[in-house]
Amino acid sequence: MKTLPYPLSYKTIDGVEWEYISTGKGKDTIVILPGGAQTAESNFRFIRAFEDNYREIVLTIHNLDSTQEFNIVLNKILDTEKAQKVILYGLSMGGVLAQTFARDNPNRVKALIISHSCTPNSQTYKREIIVPLKLVKMALPIISDWLIRFISRFAAQIQGVSKSDTTKYFVPTNEQDSRYYQMIMQDYYRNFLDKRLLQTTIRIHLDFFKQELNPEDFSYLKRKVLILRTDNDRLMQDDGDFKRVYPAAQVHTFLGTGHLSFYYQMEKMVEVIKVFLTRH
């Protein structure tokens, strides 16, 4: 049995077992929705940054077909954990799910943090995410788990990361954290990175792309929105549409870190989020 910093909880919803972490202490609850290639466990260093002052609920997003299905799942997990109104953080695909949940469940969200994501109107998103995923969807019947795992070796380069960067930024130098990381990655390749994950990614993005986000959907949040982005994100630039949807949002732009500021500048990202939460 693997020993990790944070034990996993499980909840079966409509026949699907959902994995999540519930930890931390504090009056306010942060819900963390990871990026499409992350598990709840792989966020252990990010979780650690907030656990002394916030309760945290972190989901693994794997077996999912629509944003509406996700809304049902998250509501049931929040009910189980007795979390009423939460601070909602979403990274990349998690940012897609965070936005649709916040739009459809204003009674459950007190602040929204969108990291390295976009709206459905983004032309970069259409070109770099939607069009390729439509092509992958056509080939899905002949794609195997083995092929998905092989191609994943090159995913880092797509997001602007070299092999040396992977060693420098992704693998912790602390010996204990490094052991945790290696255990998490072994589990990731054996049990998480598969065709069902690819199907989830395709279906969530294609579902989101058909939707509309409007300023009035989020007017209840007023200034309680933080947008984290980079100047050179190859995959999910907002292309200016965030200004329309979230006109009062606080925006922090990282420089030169592509789609992966979460790894390159995690400490700075945590600092920006903490300042935002202190003010709101």
Side-chain angles (χ1 to χ4, degrees), residues 180-192:
Y180 289 146
Y181 176 82
Q182 296 301 329
M183 293 164 67
I184 289 167
M185 292 309 297
Q186 288 175 10
D187 181 66
Y188 175 84
Y189 282 104
R190 290 173 184 168
N191 303 313
F192 182 71

Side-chain angles (χ1 to χ4, degrees), residues 15-33:
V16 176
E17 185 177 68
W18 281 81
E19 172 186 286
Y20 67 97
I21 292 170
S22 180
T23 190
K25 54 189 177 182
K27 180 181 70 174
D28 293 324
T29 299
I30 299 178
V31 172
I32 296 173
L33 306 181

Side-chain angles (χ1 to χ4, degrees), residues 45 160-173 181 256-257 260-267:
R45 286 181 287 171
V161 181
S162 66
K163 187 173 182 180
S164 62
D165 286 338
T166 301
T167 302
K168 182 177 179 181
Y169 293 102
F170 284 58
V171 181
T173 54
Y181 176 82
T257 52
L260 296 168
S261 305
F262 181 88
Y263 295 101
Y264 284 137
Q265 293 194 25
M266 180 182 289
E267 292 80 7

Side-chain angles (χ1 to χ4, degrees), residues 41-152:
E41 292 175 308
S42 68
N43 281 261
F44 71 92
R45 286 181 287 171
F46 194 66
I47 296 169
R48 184 185 297 156
F50 297 97
E51 65 181 343
D52 289 338
N53 297 301
Y54 296 91
R55 188 180 175 203
E56 298 173 276
I57 299 172
V58 191
L59 276 68
T60 294
I61 300 166
H62 183 265
N63 194 350
L64 187 64
D65 290 327
S66 69
T67 58
Q68 184 59 39
E69 181 187 350
F70 177 76
N71 287 352
I72 294 169
V73 167
L74 182 52
N75 273 313
K76 290 186 176 180
I77 290 175
L78 294 181
D79 289 343
T80 298
E81 294 296 320
K82 296 180 171 56
Q84 298 305 314
K85 298 196 72 168
V86 302
I87 299 158
L88 191 55
Y89 164 91
L91 169 68
S92 191
M93 189 174 78
V96 163
L97 294 170
Q99 291 180 85
T100 51
F101 185 86
R103 179 196 62 196
D104 298 338
N105 298 271
N107 60 314
R108 299 215 84 148
V109 179
K110 63 191 303 183
L112 177 62
I113 303 171
I114 306 165
S115 180
H116 296 68
S117 194
C118 63
T119 75
N121 288 342
S122 164
Q123 290 303 305
T124 300
Y125 180 57
K126 179 180 180 180
R127 182 179 65 251
E128 302 297 336
I129 299 289
I130 298 302
V131 171
L133 287 184
K134 285 182 176 179
L135 296 175
V136 173
K137 182 182 178 182
M138 294 172 60
L140 202 56
I142 63 171
I143 295 177
S144 66
D145 288 352
W146 177 87
L147 182 59
I148 291 168
R149 289 165 185 156
F150 176 78
I151 293 174
S152 72

Side-chain angles (χ1 to χ4, degrees), residues 190-207:
R190 290 173 184 168
N191 303 313
F192 182 71
L193 184 57
D194 59 14
K195 192 168 184 174
R196 187 63 183 108
L197 176 63
L198 181 57
Q199 289 174 329
T200 293
T201 303
I202 292 170
R203 290 172 182 174
I204 292 304
H205 282 297
L206 295 187
D207 180 13

